[in-house]
Amino acid sequence: MGNLGDIHKARERIQPFIHQTPILHSSQLSKRCQNNIFLKAEHLQKTGSFKIRGAANKVMQEVAKGTTYVTAASSGNHGQAVAYVAQTLGIPSTIVVPEDANVSKVKAIQSYHGNIVACGLTSAERIPKAKELAIEKQGVYIPPYDDPLIIFGQGTVGLEIIEQVKDADIVVVPVGGGGLMAGILTAIKETNPSIQVVGVEPEAANDTYLSLKNGHITQISPTSTIADGLRTSQPGDLTFPILQNYLDDLVLVSEEEIKQALLFVMERMKQLIEPSSATTVAACLSEKLQVLNKRIVCVISGGNVDVHTIEPMLAGL
């Protein structure tokens, strides 16, 4: 699968494509949580999320091998990242989105010159279509998380955290398919295994939690959560063993806790983040980590929010 060296190589490779995102600190958040809380601000990354790291590493390697066309299946951050990297490298891309895709997300992909193809409503329909289009044009399908090069690219977040937050005790990471978590785990545990790494999932999308509990990959039924970026049916075949090997803990947060965290970051820190990102802050605010006086880094994975949905999203708080 690879190791720390592959993540360091990825970091050198993708440097022209990414920002080293800043670490934000909030005294109010730290006081509320009774811990020293830092936010790794990947919502300020190019294309608005960490996804650019893995996409850049994967697409660059494929282009180096002669690929002249790429596809992806995504209506959100992964699609934007693949389209951006392809545009920068001067090759065309096609992003297969659901038929009910958010208009603002489609426009974002198109702004990076990604060709849009609408197909079905589920990933089970989109992924085969994206793979089919790649074969038709002798291109390459770029998966969202379950690929070594994607994982190594996402792992560069972990390298930056270690350098930016000296003596960090705990790093908290949102878990969807597991690409970000697998990369960060490899980077941190193979550099400083004394740092604890904790995953967070929504209660409504707890496939990794159940998989870890059962000792094998466990699929869940389609579900709905405000943290739509974490709404996967099961962890990846490549990512899951890494989580099994390295992960210190995984906690679940409710929809209400995610909304409260989202509102706190917006009101107190003046940062617009995705609900998926807010899960890590929710884990701290709701005391799910059960620690005091620790230096905790919450990974804020992205900030691509349709501003028109914010008010109804937070209704009732």
Side-chain angles (χ1 to χ4, degrees):
M1 173 53 205
N3 56 29
L4 182 61
D6 294 294
I7 297 176
H8 279 284
K9 290 176 184 176
R11 187 182 192 180
E12 294 178 11
R13 187 178 300 121
I14 70 176
Q15 191 172 10
F17 288 84
I18 69 166
H19 300 307
Q20 176 170 301
T21 51
I23 295 289
L24 307 180
H25 183 265
S26 168
S27 57
Q28 292 186 63
L29 181 59
S30 296
K31 185 177 180 180
R32 277 277 302 271
C33 298
Q34 299 183 68
N35 287 286
N36 202 5
I37 308 294
F38 303 87
L39 305 186
K40 177 57 172 167
E42 284 295 290
H43 64 299
L44 303 179
Q45 184 58 265
K46 290 182 181 178
T47 72
S49 87
F50 75 93
K51 288 286 189 178
I52 188 71
R53 296 174 183 264
N57 195 41
K58 176 68 173 177
V59 176
M60 288 181 76
Q61 290 286 77
E62 296 298 340
V63 169
K65 292 189 290 187
T67 295
T68 57
Y69 171 72
V70 293
T71 69
S74 166
S75 62
N77 293 341
H78 178 60
Q80 291 183 51
V82 171
Y84 172 83
V85 175
Q87 177 191 28
T88 304
L89 293 174
I91 65 170
S93 66
T94 294
I95 312 301
V96 182
V97 304
E99 293 173 1
D100 61 350
N102 184 288
V103 174
S104 66
K105 292 183 177 181
V106 170
K107 288 182 177 178
I109 293 169
Q110 291 174 324
S111 73
Y112 300 124
H113 295 177
N115 177 49
I116 297 290
V117 171
C119 179
L121 299 176
T122 68
S123 59
E125 296 167 291
R126 293 193 298 277
I127 291 173
K129 182 64 176 180
K131 290 180 176 179
E132 175 189 322
L133 291 171
I135 292 170
E136 283 179 7
K137 298 189 178 182
Q138 297 182 318
V140 174
Y141 165 71
I142 309 298
Y145 53 84
D146 214 25
D147 179 278
L149 293 172
I150 297 289
I151 293 169
F152 300 151
Q154 317 307 28
T156 61
V157 176
L159 297 182
E160 291 180 15
I161 288 172
I162 292 170
E163 294 171 355
Q164 291 173 301
V165 184
K166 305 300 181 184
D167 301 320
D169 296 304
I170 302 171
V171 176
V172 190
V173 185
V175 179
L180 177 62
M181 176 57 92
I184 288 177
L185 276 170
T186 303
I188 289 178
K189 290 299 187 178
E190 293 189 9
T191 302
N192 184 354
S194 67
I195 298 174
Q196 286 192 303
V197 183
V198 177
V200 187
E201 276 189 313
E203 289 178 352
N206 64 342
D207 53 290
T208 298
Y209 177 87
L210 292 175
S211 296
L212 290 169
K213 181 179 179 181
N214 295 337
H216 58 82
I217 291 176
T218 302
Q219 187 176 50
I220 63 172
S221 301
T223 186
S224 177
T225 171
I226 187 176
D228 59 343
L230 306 182
R231 195 176 58 208
T232 51
S233 60
Q234 65 182 61
D237 292 332
L238 295 179
T239 62
F240 182 63
I242 299 173
L243 272 64
Q244 280 186 303
N245 186 40
Y246 283 135
L247 191 63
D248 291 292
D249 196 9
L250 189 144
V251 300
L252 302 176
V253 290
S254 69
E255 298 298 290
E256 183 74 10
E257 287 165 343
I258 298 170
K259 291 179 182 180
Q260 291 287 355
L262 185 65
L263 183 62
F264 186 96
V265 173
M266 289 175 58
E267 284 189 335
R268 304 296 178 85
M269 299 186 69
K270 315 306 179 188
Q271 301 295 312
L272 182 62
I273 68 173
E274 297 174 19
S276 298
S277 300
T279 57
T280 58
V281 178
C284 294
L285 285 170
S286 60
E287 302 180 358
K288 296 291 174 69
L289 304 184
Q290 298 183 336
V291 295
L292 295 173
N293 302 316
K294 299 294 184 181
R295 292 169 64 82
I296 301 174
V297 182
C298 294
V299 176
I300 304 300
S301 54
N304 290 321
V305 183
D306 183 349
V307 294
H308 301 291
T309 67
I310 293 174
E311 185 175 355
M313 190 185 298
L314 299 178
L317 291 183

